Amino acid sequence: MIGRLNHVAIAVPDLKAASAQYRDTLGAKVGAPQDEPDHGVTVVFIELPNTKIELLYPLGEASPIRGFLEKNPSGGIHHICYEVDDIIAARDHLKAAGARVLGDGEPKIGAHGKPVLFLHPKDFNGSLIELEQV
Amino acid sequence: MIGRLNHVAIAVPDLKAASAQYRDTLGAKVGAPQDEPDHGVTVVFIELPNTKIELLYPLGEASPIRGFLEKNPSGGIHHICYEVDDIIAARDHLKAAGARVLGDGEPKIGAHGKPVLFLHPKDFNGSLIELEQV
């Protein structure tokens, strides 16, 4: 069911410094910051040859990244995103297998303009998984 | 400098259950467990079309994964691995930029039979980074 790893998301306490580190020290291809108000984040995408790294920084008071950075002040790996062909079929299959979908269970439009869902980390080895329909 | 994302490693409290979940519920291609005594882990590789997920389970009393699972009993995303062409050149470049290399600073042979190094998470947004020479 799952396809490519679309991206790994890393929450960072300083988006400018993290972008500069990936560009200058790690020598990667780093994009410009994009605000995603629906998700409460500002994101910077780093393009690797086979996938992307998504740097996440809180946007707005209700940002879901704010609590994560309070617990992890240096930042940390926040989630991984797997691609699926049909997000509704994937959701229904996972729910039937006992997995919990976060929020109201309906897909939202993600940072790439595609439908996304998040799965409960406790049901997946403590790792937050995003599914993105491609 | 960094190339492909070689893998994302997830520490899991039950290797059999996590393997079965990725194979049966998430529908991915899951390999057989391999013991890596030099690294204190048993690993299962999950092949995605563009990269791999590495499930990690402690092997031996001194396993570096044991403490991680004590802090995170459900498991969690443990590290990400970037490929480099020349691990010694990469290490020296990163050290010159002020980054710390874990252990004695010399590459070890990793799960794929290639030289690997780990970088200090505090120097990279709280994320543990493995470099693998390919």
Side-chain angles (χ1 to χ4, degrees):
Chain A
M1 185 181 75
I2 56 171
R4 297 173 73 257
L5 179 80
N6 187 277
H7 62 265
V8 177
I10 301 174
V12 303
D14 182 334
L15 193 55
K16 206 173 253 188
S19 299
Q21 183 183 50
Y22 267 87
R23 189 179 55 236
D24 303 332
T25 310
L26 292 170
K29 193 175 166 189
V30 176
Q34 306 168 214
D35 288 346
E36 301 290 341
D38 284 357
H39 295 269
V41 289
T42 301
V43 302
V44 164
F45 282 107
I46 298 163
E47 274 182 51
L48 302 181
N50 60 331
T51 188
K52 294 187 289 283
I53 303 294
E54 180 184 78
L55 303 180
L56 295 177
Y57 186 77
L59 177 68
E61 281 312 308
S63 171
I65 302 304
R66 214 169 273 285
F68 184 89
L69 286 173
E70 272 161 27
K71 270 182 251 163
N72 306 277
S74 307
I77 304 172
H78 185 265
H79 69 263
I80 49 181
C81 175
Y82 297 132
E83 297 180 355
V84 293
D85 286 332
D86 180 336
I87 202 162
I88 299 298
R91 176 196 67 185
D92 293 346
H93 169 75
L94 291 168
K95 280 174 75 174
R100 286 165 288 177
V101 175
L102 296 187
D104 64 4
E106 295 305 316
K108 276 193 179 186
I109 297 303
H112 310 101
K114 308 269 177 70
V116 302
L117 277 177
F118 285 88
L119 305 176
H120 200 302
K122 293 262 182 204
D123 297 337
F124 292 92
N125 311 293
S127 52
L128 179 59
I129 293 178
E130 181 180 15
L131 296 180
E132 179 173 315
Q133 179 172 302
V134 289
Chain B
M1 187 182 73
I2 56 171
R4 297 173 73 255
L5 178 80
N6 186 278
H7 62 265
V8 177
I10 301 175
V12 302
D14 182 335
L15 193 55
K16 205 174 253 190
S19 299
Q21 184 184 50
Y22 267 87
R23 189 180 54 236
D24 303 332
T25 310
L26 291 169
K29 193 176 164 188
V30 175
Q34 307 168 213
D35 288 346
E36 301 290 339
D38 285 358
H39 294 268
V41 288
T42 301
V43 301
V44 164
F45 282 106
I46 297 163
E47 274 181 52
L48 301 182
N50 61 331
T51 189
K52 293 186 290 283
I53 303 296
E54 180 185 76
L55 303 180
L56 295 176
Y57 185 79
L59 177 68
E61 281 312 308
S63 171
I65 302 305
R66 215 168 275 283
F68 183 90
L69 285 175
E70 272 161 27
K71 270 182 253 163
N72 306 278
S74 309
I77 303 172
H78 185 265
H79 69 263
I80 49 180
C81 176
Y82 296 133
E83 297 180 357
V84 294
D85 286 332
D86 180 336
I87 201 162
I88 299 297
R91 176 197 65 185
D92 293 348
H93 170 75
L94 291 169
K95 281 174 74 174
R100 286 166 288 176
V101 176
L102 297 187
D104 64 4
E106 295 305 317
K108 276 193 180 185
I109 298 302
H112 311 101
K114 309 268 177 72
V116 302
L117 278 176
F118 285 88
L119 306 175
H120 200 305
K122 292 261 180 205
D123 297 338
F124 292 92
N125 311 295
S127 51
L128 178 59
I129 292 178
E130 180 179 16
L131 297 180
E132 178 172 315
Q133 179 171 299
V134 290

